[in-house]
Amino acid sequence: MKKQILSMGLVVMVMLLSVGRLSAQESKVVAPGAELKKLEGEYSFTEGPTADEEGNVYFTDQPNDRIMKWNAADGTVIEWMKPAGRANGLMLTPEGNLLAAADEKNQLWSISTNKTVTVLVENVGDKLLNGPNDVWKTAKGHLYFSDPLFARDYWKRDPAMQQPGQYVYLIAAGSKEPKAILMDLKQPNGLIESADGKMLYVADMGE
């Protein structure tokens, strides 16, 4: 299948990732009469909102190394997981697993409903990843993730570039091996798929 891939500005992608990721199949962005409300609690830097079938929203408070959960039924927010691998971007799969770009040790995680962590990717070509930032899994089981370099003061590794470049990778359905598919972006960040599954949108912070 021919894949069409577009890079977009960060401002537009922030809106798409914050809203579209919650309900990628919906045609309306905001329900009629909906009111904007601040969630309870204080956070240092929030990222990666993703919702389950009941409308509960998971998101990261990345500097505080935790994953939060907003309950759609009563509007409460709980600390769902801490520590959380300095998780950044998240995505819930239909199976109920939470995919996480775990930046602390430059890994891609799958977190089960009972919070068991499975490391899906931790290196490519026998080298560490730069620092996974976002992740997207398609309905057909293909998995994409971005791997830019944002040097962190909590890393114990060399903060320099680990891979030949800052790429977007694909792990095809049935495979475990990441393959770089976008190698000409400066600093790929947020990912999201179109509702019809024909496009992958990529925010390129470097541009």
Side-chain angles (χ1 to χ4, degrees):
M1 178 187 296
K2 182 179 179 182
K3 291 185 174 63
Q4 302 176 35
I5 302 175
L6 304 178
S7 62
M8 299 182 63
L10 177 63
V11 174
V12 175
M13 282 309 301
V14 166
M15 292 187 292
L16 285 173
L17 291 173
S18 296
V19 180
R21 184 182 291 269
L22 305 184
S23 54
Q25 304 304 318
E26 295 293 333
S27 59
K28 294 182 179 179
V29 175
V30 180
E35 296 180 7
L36 185 64
K37 295 181 179 180
K38 179 185 176 298
L39 298 189
E40 64 180 35
E42 297 297 329
Y43 314 100
S44 295
F45 192 91
T46 57
E47 274 279 9
T50 184
D52 61 23
E53 292 183 352
E54 297 176 352
N56 304 309
V57 180
Y58 297 78
F59 63 95
T60 61
D61 184 10
Q62 205 268 355
N64 291 318
D65 194 17
R66 57 183 184 164
I67 297 173
M68 312 299 292
K69 180 182 178 181
W70 175 77
N71 189 304
D74 60 16
T76 57
V77 180
I78 63 168
E79 187 177 88
W80 186 76
M81 184 176 181
K82 180 181 175 72
R86 297 277 187 170
N88 201 322
L90 303 174
M91 183 181 180
L92 273 165
T93 69
E95 300 78 26
N97 295 320
L98 189 63
L99 300 178
D103 182 73
E104 182 178 24
K105 295 183 179 178
N106 316 109
Q107 299 171 335
L108 191 67
W109 286 5
S110 177
I111 309 171
S112 69
T113 54
N114 65 4
K115 302 182 180 65
T116 299
V117 172
T118 300
V119 177
L120 301 179
V121 182
E122 59 183 338
N123 56 59
V124 175
D126 295 324
K127 294 182 179 181
L128 291 174
L129 294 169
N130 294 320
N133 185 275
D134 203 10
V135 58
W136 186 267
K137 188 173 184 179
T138 74
K140 294 183 178 181
H142 304 307
L143 193 153
Y144 298 91
F145 68 94
S146 58
D147 185 43
L149 179 66
F150 295 100
R152 311 296 194 185
D153 58 10
Y154 48 77
W155 281 348
K156 297 180 180 179
R157 49 157 264 203
D158 184 346
M161 185 92 69
Q162 302 296 301
Q163 292 295 320
Q166 303 183 66
Y167 301 154
V168 173
Y169 292 88
L170 164 67
I171 303 176
S175 173
K176 294 183 179 179
E177 296 298 320
K179 178 181 179 182
I181 58 164
L182 280 176
M183 305 169 69
D184 58 349
L185 302 179
K186 288 190 175 182
Q187 203 169 36
N189 193 297
L191 308 174
I192 193 169
E193 185 184 23
S194 61
D196 60 11
K198 294 182 179 180
M199 288 188 180
L200 178 71
Y201 294 93
V202 183
D204 186 356
M205 279 197 68
E207 289 285 5

